[in-house]
């Protein structure tokens, strides 16, 4: 099984900050990676697919990069709506696996 | 608009069975693979199982293989999850989720609101 490791597990930041979250795969997944945001009490929402493609209607402050085993999600200017938990997920091979999540909290 | 509505959750004793249902609308259900993802309250996401658009191919997480069965009825736009031999560690919110693309690999673009399954004696 492919293990997905996210770092950090918790991140404290302020509105307007540039934030970067990292996701590492235990083996190459090419660019078969998605990022999701889950606000408290809500269902996950897709932000990025195929490592760097912005999902429809997602603000352009979100961007993704990487390939192989190392990936990043960047929020260029953190907004109040972005205080949430972020998950990466590989869909290169079964079983599909999620990272453990990164909680972005208010500093 | 796309809607996925799960039902069938509840409290069940260890070792018993439960069947979850996901009613889909707002898209051509039979064109897309569908999956179940679960989340223990306050914890992370765990992928459970996926079924191909026509129902032929199914894959499972190791933690549920042999106990859970995914199925679909494209004539009724409905997805199912039969859960047998339930364990305490199966306690979670179960989300029905739609693949974004009609391809061999895809991320999820829509999620249901989830149904809570509690396994407790």
């Amino acid at each position: 099984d492919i293990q997905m490791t996210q770092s950090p597990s918790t991140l404290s930041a302020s509105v307007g900050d540039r934030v970067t979250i990292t996701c590492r795969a235990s083996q190459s997944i090419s660019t078969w990676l998605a990022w999701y945001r889950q606000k408290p009490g809500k269902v996950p929402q897709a932000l990025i697919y195929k490592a760097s493609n912005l999902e429809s209607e997602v603000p352009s402050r979100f961007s993704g990069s990487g390939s192989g085993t190392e990936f990043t999600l960047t929020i260029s200017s953190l907004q109040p709506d972005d205080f949430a938990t972020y998950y990466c997920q590989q869909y290169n091979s079964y079983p599909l696996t999620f990272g453990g999540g990164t909680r972005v909290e208010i500093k | 608009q796309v809607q996925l509505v799960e039902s069938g959750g509840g409290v069940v004793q260890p070792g018993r069975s439960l069947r979850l249902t996901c009613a889909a609308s707002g898209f051509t259900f039979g064109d897309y693979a569908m999956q179940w993802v679960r989340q223990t309250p306050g914890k992370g996401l765990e992928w459970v199982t996926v079924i191909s658009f026509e129902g032929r191919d199914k894959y499972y997480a190791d933690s549920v293989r042999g106990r859970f069965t995914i199925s679909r009825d494209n004539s009724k736009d409905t997805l199912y999850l039969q859960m047998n031999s339930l364990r305490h560690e199966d306690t979670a919110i179960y989300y029905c989720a739609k693949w974004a693309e009609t391809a061999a690999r895809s991320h999820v673009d829509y999620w249901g609101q989830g149904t809570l399954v509690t396994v407790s004696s």
Side-chain angles (χ1 to χ4, degrees), chain A residues 24-41:
Chain A
R24 288 188 175 87
S26 59
Q27 63 190 75
S28 178
I29 59 169
S30 183
T31 56
W32 300 110
L33 184 102
W35 289 97
Y36 300 92
R37 175 179 67 180
Q38 187 176 30
K39 300 176 191 177

Side-chain angles (χ1 to χ4, degrees), chain B residues 56-71:
Chain B
R56 183 179 61 190
D57 298 316
K58 305 173 187 180
Y59 298 92
Y60 297 92
D62 292 345
S63 57
V64 307
R65 187 177 295 112
R67 301 187 298 121
F68 289 13
T69 302
I70 190 172
S71 61

Side-chain angles (χ1 to χ4, degrees), chain A residues 11-14 17-21 73-78 104:
Chain A
L11 186 160
S12 296
S14 302
D17 284 353
R18 181 182 182 87
V19 164
T20 299
I21 299 168
L73 172 71
T74 299
I75 309 171
S76 61
S77 177
L78 201 65
V104 177

